[in-house]
Amino acid sequence: MEFTHEKGALRETITARRRALEEPDWQKNDETRCETLLGQLGTPGVIALYASRKQEPGTLIAIRRLLELGWQVLLPKLSKEPDWAWATGELRPGWAGIPEPTDQGLGIGSLALADVIVVPCLAVSRDGTRLGMGGGWYDRALHHRRPGTPVWALANSDEVLPRLPHEPHDLPVDAVITEDGFTRLGAGSVS
């Protein structure tokens, strides 16, 4: 129970810091993260990515660039159960105003098509623990990826922390992309 309280306080602190970040800083950081993401990817395949909303690391530029480069992009369709759809055109506001594709959902199992998965977070720790928004959507969704598929998070550099509270249902990420670059996380990472 203490973890839930500790996570809640962290979420509030990080959300307040994000709200204080000026728009030009968000744009500059998003462009840098996008270039880093593209630089880490190899031959075009399938990438699962989130469609960002205001005051979270942006992905809308990355989605456009990935499509131009020949990637197939899976985006979440947020509801109680995880679902995914192809990014093929316009996005519409979905649950809680989060952008989502207008196309039909492909089902939870479609995440197994992804060669790399990029998830949102509020913070990550050096061991790969990810702090999300608290609904557990990605923790449920990531069980449906192919074994060995890398999971990367996008964050601001001050959101990479030495340690975060961890609960049994929390699934780790393999790396984080910030405005400072790409960092591998977990037991195999080099500090």
Side-chain angles (χ1 to χ4, degrees):
M1 201 63 145
E2 69 182 278
F3 286 134
T4 303
H5 178 70
E6 188 177 347
K7 284 181 173 184
L10 280 168
R11 286 184 182 104
E12 288 177 21
T13 299
I14 294 165
T15 300
R17 276 200 319 233
R18 284 183 172 186
R19 277 194 295 265
L21 195 58
E22 299 289 331
E23 186 61 30
D25 294 324
W26 273 113
Q27 288 178 336
K28 184 177 119 197
N29 291 348
D30 287 344
E31 289 169 9
T32 303
R33 281 188 289 263
C34 178
E35 290 307 314
T36 301
L37 171 64
L38 296 176
Q40 290 296 316
L41 297 171
T43 306
V46 177
I47 186 169
L49 190 62
Y50 66 97
S52 59
R53 56 186 167 167
K54 192 172 174 78
Q55 297 173 343
E56 72 179 343
T59 60
L60 301 179
I61 295 168
I63 292 167
R64 181 180 48 79
R65 294 275 310 275
L66 287 160
L67 291 169
E68 290 170 356
L69 292 170
W71 283 84
Q72 292 179 285
V73 179
L74 280 171
L75 295 175
K77 290 184 72 83
L78 297 172
S79 61
K80 185 176 180 181
E81 290 303 315
D83 195 4
W84 300 86
W86 295 114
T88 57
E90 294 291 316
L91 299 176
R92 67 174 176 220
W95 178 82
I98 298 170
E100 69 177 20
T102 57
D103 288 3
Q104 181 77 17
L106 301 168
I108 193 169
S110 60
L111 186 59
L113 299 170
D115 300 308
V116 65
I117 301 166
V118 179
V119 298
C121 70
L122 287 170
V124 295
S125 65
R126 296 284 175 192
D127 68 356
T129 299
R130 172 187 160 272
L131 178 67
M133 294 301 293
W137 195 92
Y138 275 95
D139 291 318
R140 290 190 307 278
L142 290 174
H143 284 288
H144 297 274
R145 72 186 186 274
R146 273 192 330 260
T149 302
V151 179
W152 302 341
L154 296 181
N156 293 313
S157 61
D158 63 351
E159 298 164 353
V160 180
L161 305 174
R163 160 195 167 319
L164 282 170
H166 177 83
E167 296 179 84
H169 67 270
D170 292 332
L171 295 178
V173 297
D174 301 302
V176 62
I177 296 171
T178 72
E179 67 276 15
D180 292 338
F182 180 89
T183 304
R184 293 202 184 281
L185 303 171
S189 66
V190 177
S191 297

